[in-house]
Amino acid sequence: MTAFKRTLSALAVSACLLPAAAVHAGEVEVLHWWTAGGEARAAAALKEMMEEQGHTWKDFAVAGGGGEAAMTVLKTRAVSGNPPAAAQIKGLDIREWAKLGFLTSLDDVAAAENWDQLVPPMISDVMQYEGEYVAVPVNVHRVNWLWVNPQVMEKVGVEIPNTLDEFFTVADKLKAAGYIPLAHGGQPWQDATVFEAVALAVMDSDTYRKAFVEHDLDVINSAVMEEVFAKFAKVMSYVDDNAAGRDWNTATGMVIRGEAAMQIMGDWAKGEFTAAGLTPGEDYLCAAAPGTAGEFTFNVDSFAMFGLSEEENVAAQKDLARTILEPKFQTVFNQNKGSIPVRTDMDMSEFDACAQASMETFKSSADTGELVPSLAHGLATTSYVQGQVFDVVTNFVNSNDKDPVKATDQLAAAIQAAK
Amino acid sequence: MEQTQRRPAGVVSAPSRLLDGLQRWLPKLVIAPTFVLIGIGIYGYMLWTGILSFTSSSFLPTYDFVGFDQYAKLMANDRWLTASKNLAIFGGLFIFTCLFIGVVLAIFLDQRIRQEGAIRTIYLYPMALSMIVTGTVWKWILNPSLGIEKLMHDWGWTSFSFDWLVNSNLAIYTIVMAAVWQASGFVMALFLAGLRGVDSSIIRAARVDGASLPLIYWKIILPSLRPVFFSAVMVLAHIAIKSFDLVMAMTAGGPGYSTDLPAVFMYAHTFTRGQMGLGSASAMLMLGAILALIVPYLYSELREKRHD
């Protein structure tokens, strides 16, 4: 960098900082459950960037992966009129909170920062309630990934399957060679993660959206859904018998150790491979889940912003919202968390191969409409419909007869009851 | 209050009257916070849950009443039916097995054996563990890829199979096993105390009449322990109905939801799925189950008092 450029960028930075320093420094209290490893580092980066702007960061971290404990605390605080500035709330739950009048509008920040251009409409829709931004997206996880141990594949002499039928052939060969074809954990959300990948492979993305976002009963109660269940049962037959209750990272460990060949799991699985000291492209491979190439099931973490009374804190809250979508934070955060930036204009050269591939599909699918919300991770529907679907799917996996017709009826009944 | 007013003024000197009043009010003052807390914290919230069960509350309480809708939904819910059925299996087996093992252990220990104190402590010890710990330990023992099955395979018995924990039809029985392990020592302690309280002259008299020891236990001692049976069943039934931590630690309701119990169902729907109304309805049904047990108990207790 030349001296001139350096001066310019220094000027630019100070120009950015000036308006932030001009307003009174406030306090942001942030509720999140990023307490483990890379997540904690990611959260620390945000804290640092807020403190650079002169604000005080009050950490409100409640441990527990799914955030159940955190949500209970949040409800109590919100009802008693003392909500934190921002809370990690996802998917359609954002709308529920907004409907109850707890959230504040971020439209001024969004307009100033041009969020509408940065974030694909499929995702910015989720962040809005009645046309106003009430939440900020933090990252994008792709859920329909297939993680592969190349050594195992090589030993057996098979290639990564691109379609479900190829998957069945490959899996048969792996099974015959004494490997577990598909590593999996028998927990409802993991069952649903595989289920939605199979659903996306069998249906096209429009049908998927009609079924799981719009809850179109004609689509849910159809022959296509029966086929989804039938294929899903076949996929699950390649899972070992002891999967019940296994954690997803234990299943990833099976792929790492070469006991199992593949796993269908979101890109947070990358963290496990990285922690084991493996490099993407060599020691492990990432590919789209069979039959979903070019399609992208997204899972977006986001911060919903609560209505605050004190002016300084509101200013700090707006700064927080702005900072989250800034390229610097997006890079640091997503590299630590294994996800990709939610902005489509980012320079991806510092990311690994899987993240770059993910970004490419993210952009292309956003254009073609192949970008669909994840059902298993609460982006497609409300938590109660999601819960009902989980019940049907997990019951189907664990029943002895696995009757696709019956499961389809149950799914239709459950969604109708919960709608 | 009335008494103080009726007392003629000036008869008692001021300080002693103060003391007097204090003496009369202090116990009530000390007790009062407890009553208020119980009133709000237990009965108040019970009432509130009851009210919520008639509303369409989603993930925060709202007050638009929908009648018995939530109860109807609950009755049509496959998972709730599984949970209720599981409670029947779990509760029945748990209470019966605990009683059986507890009584047998107590009778054995009652034979004035050596080291009784040490053995009694060993049997009672599981009760000192939290259900979470018990559940986690048993999860490891019963997991086919970690526990008994793997041990047998490692020892060369490769055809051995013990996969109850991951079999959706049998998993509930593994929970019974862990719960029995936890609670039967407690039942033993209850019965041992009861056995020690039986008048030894009765036993001696029976001996003189030529009754064998098993017969004495069966015909004389155990029937005299009816109240102990009753309290043991009461305590065990409570443990069964509110059982939550053991299931969460062992199977988290899985595989699928095949080991779901009403308490797990209630927690999941009220606090994580945003179906507070439905969760409240299930809580009310659980309360109903407990009341069905406690009312006859209270009735018999109070009736006995009247006889005295």
Side-chain angles (χ1 to χ4, degrees), chain B residues 68-135:
Chain B
F68 282 91
D69 267 19
Q70 302 286 10
Y71 291 91
K73 257 190 201 170
L74 197 61
M75 285 307 150
N77 189 316
D78 197 40
R79 187 170 163 177
W80 171 254
L81 299 180
T82 308
S84 313
K85 203 179 80 194
N86 280 339
L87 180 62
I89 297 175
F90 174 75
L93 279 176
F94 169 67
I95 293 171
F96 176 78
T97 322
C98 272
L99 278 179
F100 181 76
I101 294 179
V103 169
V104 170
L105 285 179
I107 290 175
F108 283 161
L109 274 181
D110 194 33
Q111 307 309 311
R112 312 275 162 194
I113 52 174
R114 263 186 296 163
Q115 297 299 327
E116 189 206 306
I119 296 171
R120 200 175 51 203
T121 315
I122 290 169
Y123 285 142
L124 193 56
Y125 213 68
M127 199 70 188
L129 293 178
S130 141
M131 279 281 192
I132 288 282
V133 178
T134 308

Side-chain angles (χ1 to χ4, degrees), chain A residues 151-197:
Chain A
Q151 280 87 23
V152 173
M153 303 296 266
E154 207 171 291
K155 268 183 227 161
V156 183
V158 285
E159 298 282 314
I160 296 179
N162 290 319
T163 64
L164 278 178
D165 291 329
E166 279 180 42
F167 175 84
F168 298 140
T169 325
V170 166
D172 279 331
K173 284 184 187 156
L174 287 163
K175 207 173 188 176
Y179 293 101
I180 299 166
L182 190 67
H184 180 70
Q187 293 171 334
W189 72 268
Q190 294 190 56
D191 293 339
T193 301
V194 177
F195 175 75
E196 73 175 18

Side-chain angles (χ1 to χ4, degrees), chain B:
Chain B
M1 232 10 165
E2 288 166 30
Q3 277 184 0
T4 353
Q5 279 164 352
R6 250 186 269 135
R7 191 177 288 157
V11 173
V12 191
S13 66
S16 85
R17 205 164 76 192
L18 190 74
L19 263 179
D20 220 34
L22 202 65
Q23 211 164 29
R24 263 159 26 79
W25 282 104
L26 197 61
K28 285 173 190 157
L29 276 175
V30 170
I31 295 289
T34 327
F35 265 96
V36 172
L37 283 178
I38 289 178
I40 298 171
I42 297 178
Y43 297 100
Y45 281 110
M46 236 181 235
L47 188 73
W48 193 35
T49 309
I51 293 170
L52 285 182
S53 73
F54 293 106
T55 68
S56 64
S57 301
S58 58
F59 75 116
L60 284 177
T62 49
Y63 297 98
D64 49 338
F65 291 91
V66 292
F68 282 91
D69 267 19
Q70 302 286 10
Y71 291 91
K73 257 190 201 170
L74 197 61
M75 285 307 150
N77 189 316
D78 197 40
R79 187 170 163 177
W80 171 254
L81 299 180
T82 308
S84 313
K85 203 179 80 194
N86 280 339
L87 180 62
I89 297 175
F90 174 75
L93 279 176
F94 169 67
I95 293 171
F96 176 78
T97 322
C98 272
L99 278 179
F100 181 76
I101 294 179
V103 169
V104 170
L105 285 179
I107 290 175
F108 283 161
L109 274 181
D110 194 33
Q111 307 309 311
R112 312 275 162 194
I113 52 174
R114 263 186 296 163
Q115 297 299 327
E116 189 206 306
I119 296 171
R120 200 175 51 203
T121 315
I122 290 169
Y123 285 142
L124 193 56
Y125 213 68
M127 199 70 188
L129 293 178
S130 141
M131 279 281 192
I132 288 282
V133 178
T134 308
T136 310
V137 170
W138 277 88
K139 181 169 129 188
W140 290 336
I141 295 176
L142 295 167
N143 188 314
S145 54
L146 292 171
I148 299 175
E149 185 176 305
K150 174 141 195 309
L151 185 75
M152 289 301 164
H153 289 190
D154 290 351
W155 283 352
W157 184 4
T158 47
S159 61
F160 181 86
S161 166
F162 186 63
D163 62 347
W164 286 19
L165 188 72
V166 295
N167 183 323
S168 55
N169 293 326
L170 297 173
I172 186 73
Y173 300 101
T174 63
I175 292 175
V176 175
M177 284 162 73
V180 165
W181 179 83
Q182 166 101 330
S184 50
F186 163 72
V187 176
M188 177 208 73
L190 271 184
F191 274 95
L192 199 56
L195 287 173
R196 293 286 147 84
V198 175
D199 193 348
S200 56
S201 60
I202 303 174
I203 301 169
R204 249 179 271 133
R207 277 249 164 97
V208 170
D209 286 345
S212 65
L213 196 60
L215 200 65
I216 293 174
Y217 271 106
W218 187 244
K219 291 274 184 188
I220 299 170
I221 301 181
L222 289 182
S224 73
L225 293 181
R226 275 234 333 262
V228 182
F229 265 107
F230 203 72
S231 15
V233 170
M234 285 299 302
V235 172
L236 293 176
H238 273 97
I239 294 179
I241 291 176
K242 71 181 183 197
S243 199
F244 174 79
D245 34 10
L246 188 66
V247 185
M248 286 313 271
M250 275 183 81
T251 61
Y257 52 77
S258 57
T259 55
D260 221 19
L261 287 180
V264 180
F265 180 95
M266 192 282 287
Y267 178 79
H269 284 78
T270 312
F271 297 112
T272 66
R273 286 207 179 161
Q275 283 178 292
M276 212 167 246
L278 193 70
S280 302
S282 71
M284 290 317 284
L285 291 188
M286 281 165 68
L287 176 68
I290 291 188
L291 284 183
L293 283 168
I294 227 170
V295 167
Y297 176 70
L298 282 180
Y299 179 72
S300 70
E301 284 286 289
L302 294 176
R303 200 183 48 180
E304 266 170 38
K305 290 253 167 63
R306 219 180 296 140
H307 277 293
D308 287 341

Side-chain angles (χ1 to χ4, degrees), chain A residues 16-17 40 52 69 129 142 165 247 282 292 301 336 341 380 388 407 418:
Chain A
C16 286
L17 286 177
E52 273 169 20
Y129 177 67
R142 185 182 189 186
D165 291 329
D247 286 320
E282 293 170 28
T292 65
D301 283 318
N336 277 313
Q388 294 283 338

